[in-house]
Amino acid sequence: MKISNPADGTVITEVTADNATAVRRKFELARAGQAKWAKVPLKKRLAAIAAFRERIVAMQETLARTLTHEVGKPIRQSRNEIKGLLGRIDFFLAESSAMLRDEKVFADAGQKLEERIAHEPLGVIANISAWNYPYFVGGNVFVPALLAGNAVLYKPSEFATLTGIHIAELLHEAGIPRDVFVPVIGDGATGAALLRQPVDGVFFTGSLATGEKIAAAAGKRMIKVQLELGGKDPIYVCEDVDVASAAAAVADGAFYNTGQSCCSVERIYVHESIHDAFVKAFVDEVRGFKLGDPMDESTYIGAITRRPQLEVLKKQVADAKRKGARLLLGGASVKRKGNWFEPTVFADVDHSMAVMRDESFGPIIGIQAVADDEAAVDLMNDTEYGLTAGVYTKDERRAKRILSQVNAGTVYWNCCDRVSPRLPWSGVKHSGIGLTLSTYGIQTFTRPKAWHLKAG
Ligand code: NAD
């Protein structure tokens, strides 16, 4: 399998993908490894993950450069991602002991009865990952899964393979056995082969189209399945904001990681009384974003990781123009080697347009004027997705009233494109099922076993 640099189209290296036989062997290895790993005391598992954290700190510049090289992410954003992973590891290290401990939930001395819950590992899990934040979407799964006593068959995206290999090496150096964290290398065909193994759970991050296939495969087998899928995340800007600072914050939410975040701002609604001022400030902000070599410290807009996405973006632009949207900035791919698209801003959009309905997953955004809060809520909820949604206003009560009516897994007041290890990360509707992060995101890798204990 060729690994290419999306910023210039050059082949970085070639790796051997796992075929169906290799995947089966890896599953058998992990099955045997898990039985031993589940017996390792939690203290030792915690120590191995703490050592993994230290290895990441020691290697962070190399890891950041590899990530930038293979996905085209600006180098500063690669460093941010790795720092973010450290925070998540700290959270899991701090909270796992309490979450994995047996719980006594009832005791009756007279009846000599006790009821307890034990948090047993699921067994061998498949962790099938996306490329856009490989340290985040991978780490949200494999760190708590390993702590809980599972073996992990980790399939990094074919667009973030070298990062996946780095992760495996560092975990192994840190003391996680090779038969407990097992990288599975390849594309969708390898992922499909992995799902044909009798795994005990599948934790997937990626597109809705693949998520549907994963759910169908898992459904037949009655195994635990979690799907973290796409979004079409809205922001509503009320008329009482400081226009310049709201425009700057929302522009960052839309264009960070070149718009290739599951929780990127993908739709903007602005109160009509500040619409023109907001649009001007927003376009000024986006004009200041530097597109260029992802290794350059000053670059903010990097490459489009997957080449086919350029076609999706071009189609959204053509569709919006045809239906009467006003193109204010960008609108085309950039003529240079590799996969590039100009930061693109539309005004006068509506929900007949793909740019306001379908996940763009790139540097393109539509801004629509709304008359009042009710209209904004209706539009925010008019989507197949439900990952995040946000409101910018000075009025806390108004923000809470609006956000309580929005059907999304995460809501933001005066912030956006933000993930916290302390809060559950989940979506509604086509944004997925299940969750990662928070203390729930530790117990999700366990099977709560009910003990009814009656002394004879
Ligand atoms: P993708 O669906 O193309 O691929 C995801 C993974 O699935 C890859 O590892 C791929 O090799 C594998 N795969 C593909 N076909 C398969 C099959 N038939 N069986 C098993 N595995 C298969 O998605 P992507 O392009 O890597 O990621 C982008 C998508 O991920 C976007 O929609 C984005 O919104 C979403 N995402 C969601 C979250 C979240 O937390 N909700 C986070 C990051 C990304």
Side-chain angles (χ1 to χ4, degrees):
M1 188 170 74
K2 284 195 174 74
I3 311 287
S4 301
N5 181 344
D8 59 15
T10 56
V11 174
I12 304 170
T13 186
E14 288 189 27
V15 296
T16 307
D18 287 313
N19 62 18
T21 310
V23 172
R24 199 189 65 239
R25 282 205 197 105
K26 287 189 169 183
F27 170 78
E28 285 160 7
L29 186 74
R31 176 62 84 205
Q34 194 272 327
K36 290 177 272 166
W37 182 242
K39 294 192 185 97
V40 170
L42 178 58
K43 247 187 168 165
K44 280 202 171 163
R45 288 187 234 141
L46 287 164
I49 293 296
F52 171 59
R53 188 193 189 287
E54 278 173 28
R55 298 292 304 135
I56 292 175
V57 172
M59 292 281 292
Q60 53 187 317
E61 191 54 26
T62 307
L63 302 179
R65 295 180 83 80
T66 301
L67 181 57
T68 289
H69 220 167
E70 68 177 338
V71 305
K73 189 191 293 264
I75 185 71
R76 293 167 75 105
Q77 298 177 17
S78 290
R79 291 193 197 111
N80 284 348
E81 182 179 343
I82 291 164
K83 282 205 187 81
L85 173 67
L86 299 178
R88 294 178 190 200
I89 293 175
D90 290 340
F91 172 81
F92 290 128
L93 289 175
E95 300 294 335
S96 289
S97 301
M99 288 302 113
L100 298 174
R101 196 175 289 142
D102 280 12
E103 299 165 61
K104 191 201 295 190
V105 291
F106 181 76
D108 183 322
Q111 290 186 63
K112 295 188 191 163
L113 178 69
E114 193 175 298
E115 296 172 357
R116 300 182 72 88
I117 301 172
H119 298 283
E120 296 194 344
L122 297 171
V124 178
I125 65 150
N127 175 192
I128 300 178
S129 203
W131 49 264
N132 62 332
Y133 284 96
Y135 285 101
F136 285 166
V137 298
N140 292 353
V141 172
F142 64 71
V143 172
L146 290 168
L147 288 172
N150 299 282
V152 179
L153 288 161
Y154 172 61
K155 200 200 85 57
S157 163
E158 57 273 37
F159 298 99
T161 300
L162 301 180
T163 293
I165 292 171
H166 270 319
I167 288 172
E169 283 167 359
L170 297 185
L171 281 165
H172 295 155
E173 283 168 23
I176 305 285
R178 285 172 188 278
D179 54 1
V180 169
F181 185 85
V182 186
V184 176
I185 301 303
D187 59 11
T190 304
L194 177 53
L195 287 182
R196 288 195 291 275
Q197 300 307 310
V199 292
D200 302 300
V202 52
F203 295 78
F204 171 78
T205 309
S207 62
L208 171 63
T210 312
E212 285 171 350
K213 292 183 197 161
I214 306 268
K220 284 204 186 105
R221 304 256 300 281
M222 299 297 158
I223 54 172
K224 177 154 188 170
V225 59
Q226 283 201 179
L227 306 172
E228 300 204 342
L229 309 177
K232 191 70 193 166
D233 296 358
I235 287 291
Y236 169 37
V237 185
C238 299
E239 70 287 356
D240 62 350
V241 296
D242 176 273
V243 169
S245 66
V250 178
D252 184 45
F255 289 94
Y256 191 83
N257 208 37
T258 315
Q260 301 173 111
S261 308
C262 53
C263 53
S264 285
V265 176
E266 289 239 350
R267 298 179 281 152
I268 303 173
Y269 305 103
V270 184
H271 194 277
E272 58 190 13
S273 61
I274 59 157
H275 175 266
D276 293 355
F278 179 87
V279 166
K280 184 182 178 312
F282 189 89
V283 169
D284 285 350
E285 185 70 25
V286 177
R287 247 188 250 284
F289 291 156
K290 192 177 159 216
L291 177 150
D293 178 3
M295 286 295 179
D296 188 324
E297 296 290 332
S298 61
T299 293
Y300 180 83
I301 300 285
I304 302 297
T305 308
R306 289 176 62 254
R307 192 163 182 83
Q309 200 63 20
L310 292 175
E311 282 312 307
V312 174
L313 299 172
K314 282 182 199 163
K315 278 192 185 143
Q316 290 197 351
V317 168
D319 173 74
K321 278 186 181 167
R322 199 171 52 245
K323 291 175 179 159
R326 201 156 37 102
L327 179 64
L328 300 174
L329 202 64
S333 52
V334 181
K335 308 259 168 302
R336 55 187 282 165
K337 275 194 210 152
N339 317 327
W340 296 88
F341 204 84
E342 295 170 339
T344 298
V345 182
F346 278 106
D348 300 345
V349 291
D350 63 43
H351 279 211
S352 71
M353 301 171 189
V355 72
M356 296 302 272
R357 302 202 72 87
D358 303 336
E359 189 178 46
S360 306
F361 223 59
I364 172 170
I365 190 81
I367 306 175
Q368 182 169 352
V370 292
D372 54 31
D373 296 358
E374 206 183 334
V377 169
D378 284 349
L379 287 168
M380 288 164 99
N381 282 332
D382 179 26
T383 173
E384 293 292 306
Y385 292 102
L387 193 60
T388 82
V391 173
Y392 281 73
T393 171
K394 291 204 170 94
D395 183 341
E396 181 174 355
R397 282 179 61 188
R398 181 176 176 189
K400 287 185 174 164
R401 192 172 60 238
I402 293 166
L403 293 174
S404 65
Q405 297 173 67
V406 174
N407 195 12
T410 289
V411 292
Y412 304 115
W413 175 38
N414 290 338
C415 54
C416 58
D417 190 24
R418 178 178 192 277
V419 182
S420 163
R422 298 169 292 278
L423 293 172
W425 188 247
S426 69
V428 297
K429 298 193 273 182
H430 284 175
S431 290
I433 51 176
L435 59 87
T436 51
L437 299 175
S438 80
T439 50
Y440 297 99
I442 298 170
Q443 289 188 338
T444 198
F445 297 100
T446 68
R447 187 177 294 110
K449 188 166 182 175
W451 290 77
H452 302 243
L453 300 166
K454 199 150 196 278

